[in-house]
Every structure is written in structure tokens, then in C-alpha cells.
Amino acid sequence: MLRSCAARPRTLSALRAARGGAPRPARDPGPARRSFSTEKVIHKDRSLPNPSWSKDLRLLFDQFMKKCEDGSWKHLPSSECKVPQRIHSFKTYFLDSKPVKEDQLSQARPFTRSYEVGQGFEYAMFYNEDEKRTVCLFQGGPYLEGPPGFLHGGALATMIDTTLGVCTISCMGLFMTANLNINFKSPIPLCSVVVISSQLDKVEGRKVFVSCNVRSVDEKTLHSDATGLFIKLDPEKSLT
Amino acid sequence: MLRSCAARPRTLSALRAARGGAPRPARDPGPARRSFSTEKVIHKDRSLPNPSWSKDLRLLFDQFMKKCEDGSWKHLPSSECKVPQRIHSFKTYFLDSKPVKEDQLSQARPFTRSYEVGQGFEYAMFYNEDEKRTVCLFQGGPYLEGPPGFLHGGALATMIDTTLGVCTISCMGLFMTANLNINFKSPIPLCSVVVISSQLDKVEGRKVFVSCNVRSVDEKTLHSDATGLFIKLDPEKSLT
């Protein structure tokens, strides 16, 4: 929904992916607690292969890592997130929002990394700066069920939002998703892998137009296509 | 994404809500395992107040339960879900889909009820048959974080999809979400309560057009508005 920029041009989605870290073993007490202090919070990289990844996801990941060797593509890791900076940034823009209680915030987890490994959103993202394209390799786990045996449409919408957000990476500053328009073409079997391919289509002032499609690994099935409109936040200007 | 009908006119979203049950205590081994047998699986009602509900959510819930007394509104409980019927129904429509392995399906949980109580999606739904309206009272827990301190746009999209689905309750049969078009107006503070008010706008053959808005409890803030197009599935006709 919102896209942020920390030390370098980076969307919130990228930061979500980056911050996703803290892959907790089954009996781990939880991810690192956050605070409003100036401490730097470093998370582990959740976008690397783990035992829950299917053969399809591993093969695709290896293929894209291979593409990274010549520098045309870049793997977006889940690390080095400076949480206090981000909190400060968002506070600047939404001073009028009802504050979240400290004890609630201390329990917060980034949505797409809030499940134990393998249960929910397993994904890795790759970015091609020259082509302004982002690819997300996504395996929806068993806790993301909608219809019996199929992925929930909201889970797909979540990954589309995240991927389109990363696709705005070339633009500096803070972004907010203003619109998501998603066509659902064919349901996605639970635990299968899909490829979300997004591209930056147009920039008009503060508006960034992006689009994506979601296909099966063999590319034969078009599961979904979508467009997104992102607005660059400006403290001097209204969002509407 | 998909909407189903079991014994009576009911969307998948309603069934999701209905099926949501099995609120697991912290050390509970998990929800009831599912199978393809003819057993009837009964879940507890997850749409009733629990200790994680804020004062706002409890007050709104009580107000709507009061409205139910004269029969104009109806609370949609999370119970009486006949899982094998639903699985059979969806298998009929998506025979060409890659089958999900039995061991993966046995671990599956409905997305909007996959978190422990209070961590994720806490909601209750009410339906007004005469007005073709559905209201969802939604509290997004700390595991649904997007930007620091705010709800993830995908989590909101999930509840919009679910609520719009329930709004097709007056139509018999199986439904599939064909399109979701969501405008994000103002970010939702994490752990706060919002009201998703949806209505059925138009029915054209197999197409059902619905819309909704998402407001704060005091109705002063419009967080989002959205439209949805649902297609009634027909085994004799293509989806496209």
C-alpha cells in the first residue's frame, strides 16, 4: 500500500522483501523486537532457498541467479532494513493517523513474512534496472487457501501489490499504492509456483503506472493480469 | 477469488467465514484435518467476540447484533461447513488444474482464518437480504503489517475480496472473482477497526457487479473504495 525509500532508491515492497528476514525455526520465540530507538535492525534473508521450496521454485531461482551474473538482473535480498528510519519517514507523512500502541507495534510482523517458513508466502524477487522490470517467483503455501485446494485471491493480490511496488524502484522517495486493478483468469493450485512479471509502463509527474501478469511455471496458463498506480508522496501536496 | 454454494445460497467468502472456525489455543496441535471422505467437518464460530477484539470492534458487533433482532440483518456465523461438498464442487469446475498433493492439502487452512486468534484477520460479517448489502467489521492484527504501523494493502484487498464475495450471497451457484478494482485513499493504522460496507449493484446474466467502501469506525476517514465483478460458473461455458 505504501512504498518507502531509505538509504537508496527502494520501494516499501523491496523493503518488505528486505525486511522479511527472521525466518523463525518452529520453536523460535519470534522475530527481533522493534523500537523507536536509533538501533539498526538487521534481519536474515528470507528470499533464499529453504527446505519448503519446491523443485520448480528452486530451478527458477537458479535460472534467475544465473541471469544476475552479467549484472543485467539483480536479486533483491531481504536484509539491511533500517527500521527506525522507515518509521520516522511514515510518521512525517501521516501525522494525523491514530497512533498504534507501543505494545501492539512490538508484536508487528511484515505481512508477507509473518508465517513460519513454508506455510505462507515463499518468494524471491529479481530486478532488471535497464528494462524497468521486476520478476517475483512465488510459491503460495497451505495457509493461503481460498477455494479448496486453490490460492486465495487476496493472497495473490498481496503478492501483486508487493511486486508492482518493487517495480517502482527506479523512482526516489515515498510511494503509495493509489489503485490496483486485478483480473483473475484462472485459479492457482495451492503450493504451486507462479511467476509474477511486472514492468514500469509510464511516469507522469508524481504518478507511476505499472503492470504485471501472473503465469504458471510452464508459461501455458495466464492466471492473472493487473495494473497499478503509485503516487509519489510529497509532504507539500495532498494525496488526492 | 472463487465463491461457492453448498446447501443454501452462500458464497465462498461466507463459507470462508463459516469455515474459519477452529480457533486454536496456543498449544493446540492444529485444526481438524480434512479428507476427501464424506465426513462432515464442523468448525467453531470464529466470528464471535474473543479477547483480542478491541472495544471498538465489540461495540460495533453489539450494534449489529441488535439490528439482527428484527430480522433485517443477519449475522453470518463461521460454522456448518461441509468441506467434502465444496471440494467436489470445485473439482468439477477445475478438472484440468494440477492436483494438490494430499499431504499439502491436509495442512491447508483458509487464509483469513490461518492465524492464531488476534494475530491476523479478526472480523465478523452481517448481511441484509432486502438491501443486498453486507457489512464486514474488520480488525487487522499485528501480523498484517505493511508500512510500519499500518495495514498491508494486500491484507485490505483480501478482506475486500471476501466481503464483496459475501455480497453475492443472493445468487445461487458457484462464483469466481473476475475483477477487483481497489482505490487506496488513506492507510489504515495497524490493529484499528474499519467497516467494509458492500452492496450488490447489478446482475447481468452470469455477471454480478458489487462495490464497497472502507471507513474508519467514526466514519470520518474513507480508507478505500472498490468494485468487484463476479462470474457465475457454468460447466457448459468458458470463463472468458
Side-chain angles (χ1 to χ4, degrees):
Chain A
M1 195 168 179
L2 286 155
R3 316 290 150 191
S4 79
C5 171
R8 52 185 169 151
R10 170 173 265 183
T11 66
L12 174 67
S13 297
L15 286 169
R16 279 186 202 131
R19 189 183 156 213
R24 300 196 299 137
R27 296 179 193 286
D28 189 307
R33 293 297 172 110
R34 304 180 335 182
S35 76
F36 287 101
S37 74
T38 55
E39 67 183 301
K40 185 180 177 183
V41 181
I42 304 291
H43 295 275
K44 289 182 193 170
D45 192 348
R46 269 289 289 270
S47 68
L48 294 176
N50 68 56
S52 79
W53 284 25
S54 66
K55 191 180 169 186
D56 281 346
L57 188 53
R58 285 170 184 270
L59 281 172
L60 277 170
F61 181 83
D62 289 345
Q63 285 171 17
F64 271 89
M65 287 303 280
K66 194 84 180 167
K67 289 182 182 181
C68 293
E69 288 175 3
D70 66 2
S72 57
W73 285 83
K74 186 182 174 187
H75 175 231
L76 297 172
S78 298
S79 56
E80 299 176 285
C81 177
K82 297 172 183 177
V83 173
Q85 278 188 12
R86 295 176 62 221
I87 290 174
H88 176 75
S89 297
F90 285 100
K91 277 191 161 183
T92 306
Y93 285 92
F94 301 106
L95 285 173
D96 58 339
S97 289
K98 186 180 168 186
V100 180
K101 290 176 186 168
E102 274 281 351
D103 63 327
Q104 290 173 329
L105 202 60
S106 70
Q107 297 171 41
R109 292 191 192 184
F111 182 36
T112 61
R113 296 302 191 189
S114 61
Y115 289 98
E116 303 295 329
V117 168
Q119 291 176 344
F121 301 92
E122 291 294 333
Y123 63 95
M125 292 217 191
F126 295 86
Y127 176 63
N128 186 315
E129 189 166 3
D130 290 341
E131 298 175 8
K132 309 291 186 206
R133 289 175 57 204
T134 300
V135 167
C136 174
L137 314 176
F138 169 47
Q139 175 182 297
Y143 282 31
L144 307 184
E145 190 185 45
F150 292 96
L151 190 77
H152 193 294
L156 179 58
T158 298
M159 287 312 302
I160 285 175
D161 181 31
T162 304
T163 306
L164 290 178
V166 169
C167 207
T168 66
I169 204 166
S170 59
C171 305
M172 298 289 290
L174 278 162
F175 287 89
M176 179 171 181
T177 314
N179 177 266
L180 275 184
N181 193 340
I182 304 173
N183 294 311
F184 298 96
K185 305 278 190 181
S186 173
I188 298 173
L190 208 59
C191 304
S192 67
V193 177
V194 293
V195 179
I196 307 174
S197 302
S198 67
Q199 61 184 40
L200 191 149
D201 295 324
K202 197 169 53 175
V203 179
E204 282 183 0
R206 294 166 60 208
K207 294 180 181 175
V208 180
F209 297 85
V210 284
S211 61
C212 74
N213 63 61
V214 183
R215 289 188 178 275
S216 56
V217 173
D218 63 10
E219 298 188 359
K220 289 180 181 170
T221 307
L222 175 63
H223 291 291
S224 177
D225 57 42
T227 60
L229 167 61
F230 292 81
I231 306 282
K232 187 171 183 176
L233 296 182
D234 185 334
E236 303 298 321
K237 294 172 186 170
S238 165
L239 277 176
T240 53
Chain B
M1 193 170 178
L2 286 153
R3 315 291 150 193
S4 79
C5 170
R8 50 185 170 150
R10 170 172 265 184
T11 66
L12 174 67
S13 297
L15 286 170
R16 281 185 201 132
R19 189 182 157 212
R24 300 196 299 138
R27 295 178 193 286
D28 188 308
R33 293 297 171 109
R34 304 180 334 182
S35 74
F36 287 102
S37 74
T38 55
E39 67 183 303
K40 186 179 175 183
V41 181
I42 304 290
H43 293 277
K44 289 181 191 170
D45 192 349
R46 270 289 289 268
S47 68
L48 295 175
N50 68 56
S52 79
W53 283 26
S54 66
K55 191 179 170 186
D56 282 344
L57 188 53
R58 285 171 183 271
L59 281 172
L60 277 171
F61 181 84
D62 290 344
Q63 285 171 16
F64 271 90
M65 287 303 279
K66 195 85 180 165
K67 289 182 182 181
C68 293
E69 289 176 2
D70 66 4
S72 59
W73 286 83
K74 185 182 175 186
H75 175 232
L76 297 172
S78 297
S79 54
E80 299 177 285
C81 177
K82 297 173 184 176
V83 173
Q85 278 187 13
R86 296 176 62 223
I87 290 175
H88 177 74
S89 296
F90 284 101
K91 277 192 162 183
T92 305
Y93 285 92
F94 300 107
L95 286 173
D96 59 338
S97 288
K98 187 181 168 186
V100 180
K101 290 176 186 167
E102 275 281 350
D103 63 326
Q104 292 173 326
L105 202 60
S106 70
Q107 298 171 41
R109 293 190 191 184
F111 182 36
T112 61
R113 297 299 192 192
S114 61
Y115 289 97
E116 302 295 329
V117 168
Q119 291 176 346
F121 301 93
E122 291 294 332
Y123 63 95
M125 292 218 190
F126 295 87
Y127 176 64
N128 186 314
E129 191 167 1
D130 290 341
E131 298 175 9
K132 309 291 186 206
R133 287 176 58 204
T134 300
V135 167
C136 174
L137 315 176
F138 169 47
Q139 175 182 297
Y143 282 30
L144 308 184
E145 190 185 45
F150 293 96
L151 189 77
H152 192 294
L156 179 59
T158 298
M159 286 313 302
I160 285 175
D161 181 31
T162 303
T163 306
L164 290 179
V166 169
C167 206
T168 66
I169 203 166
S170 58
C171 304
M172 297 289 290
L174 278 163
F175 286 88
M176 180 171 180
T177 315
N179 177 266
L180 276 183
N181 193 339
I182 304 172
N183 294 311
F184 297 96
K185 305 278 190 181
S186 173
I188 298 173
L190 209 58
C191 304
S192 68
V193 177
V194 293
V195 179
I196 307 174
S197 302
S198 66
Q199 61 184 39
L200 191 149
D201 296 323
K202 195 169 56 173
V203 179
E204 281 182 0
R206 294 166 60 209
K207 295 180 179 174
V208 180
F209 297 84
V210 284
S211 61
C212 74
N213 62 61
V214 183
R215 289 187 178 275
S216 56
V217 173
D218 63 10
E219 298 187 358
K220 288 180 181 171
T221 306
L222 175 63
H223 291 291
S224 176
D225 57 40
T227 59
L229 167 61
F230 292 81
I231 306 284
K232 186 171 184 177
L233 296 183
D234 185 334
E236 302 298 320
K237 294 171 187 171
S238 164
L239 278 174
T240 53

Short mmCIF file of all heavy atoms in Angstrom, two decimals, chain B residues 63-84:
data_model
loop_
_atom_site.label_atom_id
_atom_site.label_comp_id
_atom_site.label_asym_id
_atom_site.label_seq_id
_atom_site.Cartn_x
_atom_site.Cartn_y
_atom_site.Cartn_z
N GLN B 63 -23.79 -3.58 18.23
CA GLN B 63 -24.76 -2.76 17.50
C GLN B 63 -25.41 -3.56 16.36
O GLN B 63 -26.62 -3.50 16.16
CB GLN B 63 -24.07 -1.52 16.91
CG GLN B 63 -23.74 -0.45 17.93
CD GLN B 63 -22.88 0.66 17.32
OE1 GLN B 63 -22.77 0.80 16.12
NE2 GLN B 63 -22.25 1.45 18.18
N PHE B 64 -24.59 -4.30 15.64
CA PHE B 64 -25.16 -5.08 14.53
C PHE B 64 -25.97 -6.27 15.02
O PHE B 64 -26.97 -6.65 14.39
CB PHE B 64 -24.05 -5.50 13.56
CG PHE B 64 -23.80 -4.48 12.48
CD1 PHE B 64 -22.87 -3.47 12.68
CD2 PHE B 64 -24.52 -4.50 11.29
CE1 PHE B 64 -22.66 -2.50 11.70
CE2 PHE B 64 -24.32 -3.55 10.32
CZ PHE B 64 -23.39 -2.53 10.52
N MET B 65 -25.56 -6.86 16.13
CA MET B 65 -26.36 -7.96 16.68
C MET B 65 -27.74 -7.45 17.09
O MET B 65 -28.74 -8.14 16.98
CB MET B 65 -25.63 -8.60 17.87
CG MET B 65 -24.42 -9.44 17.48
SD MET B 65 -24.78 -10.79 16.32
CE MET B 65 -25.44 -12.02 17.44
N LYS B 66 -27.75 -6.20 17.56
CA LYS B 66 -29.03 -5.56 17.91
C LYS B 66 -29.90 -5.42 16.67
O LYS B 66 -31.12 -5.64 16.71
CB LYS B 66 -28.72 -4.18 18.50
CG LYS B 66 -29.88 -3.53 19.24
CD LYS B 66 -29.95 -3.98 20.68
CE LYS B 66 -31.12 -3.33 21.42
NZ LYS B 66 -31.40 -4.03 22.68
N LYS B 67 -29.27 -5.03 15.56
CA LYS B 67 -30.01 -4.88 14.30
C LYS B 67 -30.57 -6.21 13.80
O LYS B 67 -31.49 -6.24 12.99
CB LYS B 67 -29.10 -4.29 13.21
CG LYS B 67 -28.72 -2.83 13.40
CD LYS B 67 -27.87 -2.36 12.23
CE LYS B 67 -27.44 -0.91 12.41
NZ LYS B 67 -26.62 -0.41 11.30
N CYS B 68 -29.97 -7.29 14.26
CA CYS B 68 -30.42 -8.62 13.82
C CYS B 68 -31.72 -9.03 14.49
O CYS B 68 -32.40 -9.96 14.03
CB CYS B 68 -29.34 -9.68 14.12
SG CYS B 68 -27.83 -9.49 13.16
N GLU B 69 -32.05 -8.34 15.57
CA GLU B 69 -33.20 -8.78 16.37
C GLU B 69 -34.52 -8.71 15.60
O GLU B 69 -35.41 -9.53 15.81
CB GLU B 69 -33.28 -7.96 17.66
CG GLU B 69 -32.17 -8.32 18.64
CD GLU B 69 -32.18 -7.46 19.88
OE1 GLU B 69 -33.08 -6.58 20.01
OE2 GLU B 69 -31.28 -7.63 20.74
N ASP B 70 -34.66 -7.71 14.70
CA ASP B 70 -35.92 -7.63 13.94
C ASP B 70 -35.85 -8.39 12.62
O ASP B 70 -36.76 -8.33 11.80
CB ASP B 70 -36.30 -6.16 13.70
CG ASP B 70 -35.30 -5.45 12.77
OD1 ASP B 70 -34.36 -6.11 12.27
OD2 ASP B 70 -35.46 -4.23 12.54
N GLY B 71 -34.75 -9.08 12.40
CA GLY B 71 -34.64 -9.91 11.21
C GLY B 71 -34.15 -9.19 9.96
O GLY B 71 -33.96 -9.82 8.91
N SER B 72 -33.94 -7.87 10.04
CA SER B 72 -33.50 -7.13 8.85
C SER B 72 -32.05 -7.47 8.51
O SER B 72 -31.66 -7.54 7.35
CB SER B 72 -33.66 -5.63 9.07
OG SER B 72 -32.92 -5.20 10.20
N TRP B 73 -31.24 -7.66 9.54
CA TRP B 73 -29.85 -8.05 9.34
C TRP B 73 -29.64 -9.46 9.89
O TRP B 73 -30.33 -9.88 10.80
CB TRP B 73 -28.90 -7.08 10.05
CG TRP B 73 -28.78 -5.76 9.35
CD1 TRP B 73 -29.63 -4.71 9.46
CD2 TRP B 73 -27.77 -5.39 8.41
NE1 TRP B 73 -29.21 -3.67 8.65
CE2 TRP B 73 -28.06 -4.07 7.98
CE3 TRP B 73 -26.65 -6.02 7.87
CZ2 TRP B 73 -27.28 -3.38 7.07
CZ3 TRP B 73 -25.86 -5.33 6.96
CH2 TRP B 73 -26.17 -4.03 6.56
N LYS B 74 -28.65 -10.11 9.31
CA LYS B 74 -28.34 -11.47 9.75
C LYS B 74 -26.84 -11.61 9.97
O LYS B 74 -26.04 -11.20 9.11
CB LYS B 74 -28.79 -12.46 8.66
CG LYS B 74 -28.65 -13.91 9.05
CD LYS B 74 -29.09 -14.81 7.90
CE LYS B 74 -28.82 -16.26 8.25
NZ LYS B 74 -29.08 -17.15 7.13
N HIS B 75 -26.48 -12.15 11.12
CA HIS B 75 -25.06 -12.42 11.39
C HIS B 75 -24.66 -13.69 10.64
O HIS B 75 -25.38 -14.69 10.67
CB HIS B 75 -24.85 -12.60 12.90
CG HIS B 75 -23.45 -13.01 13.26
ND1 HIS B 75 -23.17 -14.09 14.06
CD2 HIS B 75 -22.26 -12.47 12.92
CE1 HIS B 75 -21.86 -14.20 14.21
NE2 HIS B 75 -21.28 -13.23 13.52
N LEU B 76 -23.53 -13.62 9.93
CA LEU B 76 -23.06 -14.79 9.19
C LEU B 76 -22.05 -15.55 10.04
O LEU B 76 -20.92 -15.11 10.20
CB LEU B 76 -22.42 -14.36 7.87
CG LEU B 76 -23.36 -13.65 6.89
CD1 LEU B 76 -22.58 -13.08 5.71
CD2 LEU B 76 -24.44 -14.60 6.41
N PRO B 77 -22.47 -16.65 10.62
CA PRO B 77 -21.57 -17.37 11.53
C PRO B 77 -20.50 -18.16 10.78
O PRO B 77 -20.56 -18.31 9.57
CB PRO B 77 -22.53 -18.31 12.26
CG PRO B 77 -23.60 -18.59 11.26
CD PRO B 77 -23.75 -17.35 10.41
N SER B 78 -19.54 -18.62 11.52
CA SER B 78 -18.47 -19.45 10.96
C SER B 78 -18.67 -20.88 11.41
O SER B 78 -17.98 -21.37 12.30
CB SER B 78 -17.11 -18.94 11.46
OG SER B 78 -16.89 -17.65 11.01
N SER B 79 -19.63 -21.53 10.80
CA SER B 79 -19.89 -22.91 11.21
C SER B 79 -20.59 -23.68 10.11
O SER B 79 -20.91 -23.13 9.05
CB SER B 79 -20.75 -22.92 12.48
OG SER B 79 -21.93 -22.17 12.25
N GLU B 80 -20.79 -24.95 10.36
CA GLU B 80 -21.55 -25.83 9.47
C GLU B 80 -21.00 -25.90 8.06
O GLU B 80 -21.76 -25.90 7.09
CB GLU B 80 -23.02 -25.38 9.39
CG GLU B 80 -23.73 -25.41 10.71
CD GLU B 80 -25.14 -24.88 10.56
OE1 GLU B 80 -25.28 -23.65 10.44
OE2 GLU B 80 -26.05 -25.68 10.56
N CYS B 81 -19.72 -25.92 7.95
CA CYS B 81 -19.14 -26.02 6.61
C CYS B 81 -18.95 -27.49 6.23
O CYS B 81 -18.26 -28.22 6.92
CB CYS B 81 -17.79 -25.31 6.57
SG CYS B 81 -17.00 -25.49 4.98
N LYS B 82 -19.56 -27.87 5.12
CA LYS B 82 -19.42 -29.25 4.65
C LYS B 82 -18.29 -29.30 3.63
O LYS B 82 -18.51 -29.17 2.43
CB LYS B 82 -20.73 -29.73 4.05
CG LYS B 82 -21.85 -29.77 5.09
CD LYS B 82 -23.18 -30.07 4.45
CE LYS B 82 -24.28 -29.99 5.51
NZ LYS B 82 -25.61 -30.19 4.93
N VAL B 83 -17.10 -29.49 4.13
CA VAL B 83 -15.91 -29.39 3.29
C VAL B 83 -15.93 -30.34 2.08
O VAL B 83 -15.66 -29.91 0.96
CB VAL B 83 -14.64 -29.62 4.14
CG1 VAL B 83 -13.42 -29.70 3.25
CG2 VAL B 83 -14.49 -28.49 5.14
N PRO B 84 -16.24 -31.63 2.25
CA PRO B 84 -16.18 -32.51 1.07
C PRO B 84 -17.07 -32.04 -0.08
O PRO B 84 -16.70 -32.15 -1.24
CB PRO B 84 -16.66 -33.85 1.64
CG PRO B 84 -16.32 -33.79 3.10
CD PRO B 84 -16.57 -32.35 3.47
#
